[in-house]
Amino acid sequence: MFTHDTLQGRVALITGGGSGIGLEIATTYARLGASVMLAGRNEERLQAAAQSITQAGGAAAVCKTDVRNYDEVKHTIETTVDRFGSLDILVNNAAGNFICPTAGLTPNGWRTVIDIDLNGTFYGCHAAYPHLKASTHGGCIISIITMLGVSGWPGAAHAASAKAGILALSRTLAVEWGGDGIRVNTISPGPIGDTEGVKRMYIDSGLGELEEKKTALGRFGRKQDIANAAVYLASDLGAYVTGDNLIVDGGRWLKYVAQ
Ligand code: HXC
Ligand code: NAP
C-alpha cells in the first residue's frame, strides 16, 4: 500500500474527474496528499465529487471545462495554478464514446469523439507544458487510453483512432519533453466494473458476461486498480518511467492475442 504522503505537495488536474475512473484517481490522489482540480462539463457533478473529497479531509476544487475548447482548457490550467500554486500532474481522462458501426457514423459523430479524446488531450498537454516544466517535483502527464486503440475496435472506430493518437502523442512528448523533466505515460485499463464505459460498451448490449470471460482473470477490474497505477506513475516510485503504456487489464489484451 502507498503511504499517506506519497503525493504530498503535488497539484493534479484530472479531466473528467467528476465521475468513474477519473473520480477514483482524484479521490486517491487527494488521500495521498495531492491537491486536486476536477474538470468537466457537468458542474453539479463536479461539485458533489469535490465535496466528497474535501469532507474526507482532502484538498479539491472544480473548474467547468469542455476539453474541446483550447481557451477553456488553458483557463482551467491557469486557475489550478492560481488556486494551488503549481501544476505537477495532468491526468487526461475525459472521453466520449458510443457504439456505432463505421458505415453509419456521421462526420460529426467521428469529430465529436476525436475532439474530446485526442484534441482534448493535446490541448491539456500543450497548455500545461510551461507549468509542468516549472514543477519542483518534475512534471507528469498520464493519459487514459485502451489497448483497443492498438488492436482496433469494431463498432468504435472513432475512439480507437483517438486512443491510438493519444498513444503516439504521449510517446512523442516523452522524448520531446524528457529534457524538461516531464514524464509522459499512458494507462490502458481493461474493462472496469461499475463505470459508464463498461455500461455503454458491454452491459447495455448484454455482452457483460462475455467480456469478463475475455479477460485472463475472468472478471472486470476495479476503479481502484487504475487509480493505483496512476499513483505509481505520478509519484517518485515511477521517477524513471516515461513513454510507457501501463496495461492494467486483467490479461484482456494478451488473451485477445493468444487465443
Ligand atoms: C451514433 C451518435 C451516438 C450514438 C452521439 N452520436 N451518440 N451516433 N450512435 N449512440 C452522434 C450524434 O448524432 C452527433 O452527430 C454527434 O455524435 C455528437 O452528438 P451530441 O449528442 O451532440 O454530442 P455531445 O452532446 O457533445 O456529447 C458527446 C458524446 C456523449 C460523446 C456523444 O455520449 C458524451 O457526452 N459522452 C461522455 C461520457 C462517455 O462517453 N463516457 C464513456 C467513456 S468510456 P450528428 O451528425 O447527428 O450531428 C470510453 C472507453 C470505454 O471511452 C472502454 C471500455 C472497455
Ligand atoms: P465516464 O465516467 O463517463 O468518464 C468520462 C468523463 O469525461 C466524465 O466525467 C465526463 O464529464 C468527461 N467528459 C466527457 N466529455 C467531456 C468534455 N467534452 N469536456 C470535459 N470533460 C468531458 O467514463 P469512465 O468509464 O470512467 O472512463 C474514464 C476514462 O477511462 C476514459 O478515458 C475512458 O476512455 C477510459 N477507459 C475506460 C474503461 C472502462 O472500463 N470504463 C476502459 C478503458 C479505458 P462531463 O460529462 O461532466 O463532461
Side-chain angles (χ1 to χ4, degrees), residues 116-139:
I116 300 170
D117 295 23
L118 179 57
N119 294 342
T121 296
F122 169 74
Y123 296 161
C125 294
H126 189 273
Y129 170 70
H131 305 288
L132 295 174
K133 188 178 171 186
S135 166
T136 54
H137 299 277

Side-chain angles (χ1 to χ4, degrees), residues 171-183:
R171 288 175 167 166
T172 301
L173 297 183
V175 175
E176 281 196 23
W177 294 352
D180 297 315
I182 301 171
R183 296 181 298 105

Side-chain angles (χ1 to χ4, degrees), residues 23-97:
L23 176 54
E24 193 75 24
I25 293 172
T27 304
T28 305
Y29 277 9
R31 197 170 59 237
L32 300 177
S35 302
V36 295
M37 177 65 83
L38 314 181
R41 296 163 301 172
N42 183 334
E43 194 163 18
E44 209 176 306
R45 196 166 58 168
L46 290 172
Q47 292 288 6
Q51 202 181 349
S52 76
I53 292 172
T54 48
Q55 274 168 358
V62 311
C63 205
K64 186 172 172 356
T65 316
D66 189 326
V67 297
R68 291 171 283 194
N69 182 319
Y70 183 78
D71 291 339
E72 284 187 32
V73 172
K74 196 163 187 291
H75 171 75
T76 296
I77 284 167
E78 283 160 5
T79 304
T80 306
V81 175
D82 286 346
R83 171 72 193 259
F84 294 122
S86 65
L87 177 67
D88 307 292
I89 305 161
L90 169 67
V91 181
N92 295 302
N93 165 81
N97 202 357

